């Protein structure tokens, strides 16, 4: 190769390198600009899910040392620009991923308002799952939502938010009964937990009704312990039973609203008197067959009465304790009881 050819090829290489470097820097700058647009939504969504938990800025940074790579940084209390994996649980990381996905939907799906979510709350604890419902209805109320979940409780919470936002007529709530390659999905209209329990009672399914009711009672107690800030002994497996939660919950009610407890003491006593049938029929017990359908129905009624005492039909959710206002009220702001 002659000297002139070498010079020509060198000049061409430098020109191509300059073009490539310009493209890479322009692309990084544009991606970073898009990230800046996304960050405000990600921050707002994440703070909505984790209210009062000390999270501040969320930053997406293009990593210039690696190809096609992005770093996520968060401010958590006095720690700044930290990798979220340093202090977040699996559930918090999953909820952060959900917030990033939803921010991308807002940014890029403006002309195609559809959100598809498949089992996105499996690792998110119950207190934050309710916030996911609120976020979807608040930020994506004008989108078409296609949501699937294995979590019956979260499905009921979604239905409650539909009623609370007066949008139940816009939704079709279905249950997947089974599926096959040839026939596809077999669907049925979804039934809320109390409807399912009543149907089991109607079929004289004592064990099924008792098991469903006990599961509902555990869920109710867990949610209410969070809602009224009940001190509960910590467990490593984070699985709390009725026995773990009931006494602390009742003690908290007595402390915050003793008059409410006294005026509704029959509800608590009725549950305590009938609670044996929840244990008897749920666990393998040779005496279970001796329980009558009437006794199981009494257990169901006792749980339902306690549930309804702390449930607001207007907003479709449980009441919550507001420490600064010294009030227990529903999410619509209606004061139920003033606390001590």
């Amino acid at each position: 190769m002659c000297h002139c050819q070498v010079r020509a090829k060198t000049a061409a290489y430098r020109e191509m390198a300059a073009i490539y470097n310009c493209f890479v820097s322009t692309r990084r700058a544009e991606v970073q600009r898009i990230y800046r647009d996304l960050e405000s939504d990600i921050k707002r969504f994440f703070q909505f899910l984790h209210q009062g938990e000390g999270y501040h800025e969320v930053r997406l940074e293009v990593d210039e040392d690696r190809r096609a790579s992005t770093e996520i940084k968060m401010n958590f209390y006095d720690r700044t620009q930290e990798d979220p994996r340093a202090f977040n649980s699996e559930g918090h990381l999953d909820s952060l991923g959900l917030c990033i996905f939803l921010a991308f939907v807002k940014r890029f799906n403006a002309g195609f308002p559809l959100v598809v979510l498949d089992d996105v709350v499996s690792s998110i604890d119950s207190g934050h799952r309710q916030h996911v419902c609120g976020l979807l209805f608040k930020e994506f109320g004008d989108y078409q939502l296609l949501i699937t979940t294995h979590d019956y409780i979260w499905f009921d919470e979604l239905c409650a938010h539909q009623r609370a936002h007066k949008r139940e007529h816009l939704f079709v709530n279905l249950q997947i009964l089974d599926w096959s390659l040839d026939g596809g999905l077999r669907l049925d209209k979804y039934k809320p937990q109390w409807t399912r329990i009543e149907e089991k009672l109607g079929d004289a399914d004592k064990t099924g009704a008792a098991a469903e009711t006990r599961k509902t009672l555990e869920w109710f107690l867990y949610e209410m312990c969070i809602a009224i800030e009940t001190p509960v002994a910590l467990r490593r497996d984070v699985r709390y039973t009725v026995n773990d939660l009931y006494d602390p919950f009742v003690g908290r009610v007595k402390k915050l609203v003793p008059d409410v407890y006294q005026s509704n003491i029959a509800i608590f006593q009725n549950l305590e008197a009938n609670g044996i049938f929840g244990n008897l029929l749920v666990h393998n017990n040779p005496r279970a067959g001796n329980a009558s359908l009437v006794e199981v129905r009494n257990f169901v009624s006792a749980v339902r009465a306690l549930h309804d005492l702390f449930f607001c039909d207007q907003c479709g959710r449980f009441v919550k304790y507001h420490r600064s206002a010294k009030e227990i009220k529903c999410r619509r702001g209606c004061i139920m009881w003033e606390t001590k």
Side-chain angles (χ1 to χ4, degrees):
M1 185 180 298
C2 69
H3 183 67
C4 290
Q5 289 175 317
V6 171
R7 283 200 305 171
K9 290 184 180 296
T10 300
Y13 169 78
R14 288 174 178 169
E15 183 176 346
M16 287 187 291
I19 292 172
Y20 173 77
N21 291 333
C22 180
F23 167 75
V24 169
S25 62
T26 301
R27 183 189 63 184
R28 284 176 175 166
E30 180 62 16
V31 170
Q32 192 64 71
R33 185 188 66 78
I34 293 173
Y35 282 173
R36 289 292 172 263
D37 290 343
L38 293 169
E39 285 170 354
S40 60
D41 281 340
I42 297 171
K43 173 186 173 183
R44 187 173 74 258
F45 295 169
F46 194 75
Q47 287 183 333
F48 186 93
L49 297 186
H50 301 278
Q51 300 168 21
E53 295 184 22
Y55 294 98
H56 304 295
E57 295 295 326
V58 179
R59 305 284 287 184
L60 303 179
E61 300 287 351
V62 175
D63 189 340
E64 297 186 1
D65 296 329
R66 290 186 291 178
R67 184 173 178 272
S69 183
T70 298
E71 291 186 338
I72 304 174
K73 300 293 185 181
M74 298 183 71
N75 292 0
F76 181 61
Y77 287 105
D78 59 345
R79 300 174 65 170
T80 60
Q81 296 297 290
E82 289 275 2
D83 187 324
R85 292 172 295 182
F87 48 80
N88 276 322
S89 66
E90 179 185 358
H92 281 63
L93 292 174
D94 286 350
S95 65
L96 175 59
L98 175 61
C99 292
I100 293 173
F101 170 76
L102 292 175
F104 270 81
V105 170
K106 280 275 191 182
R107 176 67 167 76
F108 296 108
N109 284 31
F112 189 66
L114 171 67
V115 180
V116 180
L117 300 174
D118 178 32
D119 232 6
V120 295
V121 299
S122 57
S123 66
I124 300 175
D125 66 67
S126 59
H128 296 107
R129 288 183 310 198
Q130 285 193 354
H131 293 321
V132 174
C133 297
L135 177 64
L136 292 175
F137 281 87
K138 179 176 183 289
E139 296 285 348
F140 298 90
D142 55 347
Y143 282 65
Q144 183 176 1
L145 302 175
L146 177 60
I147 303 172
T148 64
T149 180
H150 287 88
D151 190 326
Y152 277 98
I153 301 301
W154 192 56
F155 202 113
D156 283 336
E157 290 175 346
L158 282 169
C159 294
H161 276 75
Q162 294 168 21
R163 296 190 296 271
H165 289 82
K166 309 300 182 187
R167 297 174 64 86
E168 62 267 37
H169 62 289
L170 300 177
F171 284 82
V172 177
N173 299 314
L174 300 172
Q175 180 178 3
I176 300 174
L177 300 178
D178 56 37
W179 67 277
S180 67
L181 289 176
D182 294 331
L185 296 174
R186 191 163 67 93
L187 303 172
D188 191 14
K189 185 177 180 180
Y190 178 75
K191 298 168 183 175
Q193 58 196 13
W194 294 114
T195 302
R196 297 195 301 269
I197 291 169
E198 285 299 325
E199 287 186 352
K200 286 181 169 60
L201 288 172
D203 294 335
D205 181 2
K206 297 183 293 185
T207 301
E212 188 85 21
T213 304
R214 182 180 170 85
K215 182 172 69 173
T216 299
L217 178 58
E218 288 180 354
W219 163 70
F220 162 79
L221 290 172
Y222 186 84
E223 293 296 333
M224 283 309 305
C225 283
I226 293 173
I228 64 172
E229 301 178 9
T230 304
V232 177
L234 294 177
R235 294 175 57 94
R236 289 189 180 277
D237 59 7
V238 200
R239 294 182 64 86
Y240 295 94
T241 66
V242 171
N243 293 335
D244 298 320
L245 300 173
Y246 182 74
D247 286 342
F249 167 68
V250 173
R252 184 64 168 162
V253 172
K254 289 179 179 179
K255 181 177 180 180
L256 288 178
V257 282
D259 294 342
V260 173
Y261 175 79
Q262 287 299 325
S263 60
N264 293 278
I265 194 170
I267 292 177
F268 293 91
Q269 290 175 339
N270 193 31
L271 177 58
E272 291 160 12
N274 287 280
I276 181 177
F277 298 104
N279 290 323
L280 188 65
L281 287 153
V282 170
H283 304 295
N284 184 18
N285 193 314
R287 296 179 298 162
N290 295 329
S292 70
L293 188 62
V294 172
E295 289 169 322
V296 176
R297 181 174 289 280
N298 289 340
F299 170 59
V300 172
S301 298
V303 174
R304 182 67 186 268
L306 184 63
H307 172 281
D308 291 351
L309 180 61
F310 295 90
F311 188 80
C312 176
D313 289 326
Q314 294 299 314
C315 64
R317 299 171 71 181
F318 293 123
V319 297
K320 181 178 175 59
Y321 170 51
H322 295 262
R323 181 186 294 271
S324 59
K326 293 187 176 181
E327 296 170 345
I328 292 178
K329 55 187 178 181
C330 72
R331 306 305 170 100
R332 291 166 60 93
C334 300
I335 299 173
M336 303 286 286
W337 310 296
E338 293 185 352
T339 64
K340 296 293 184 181

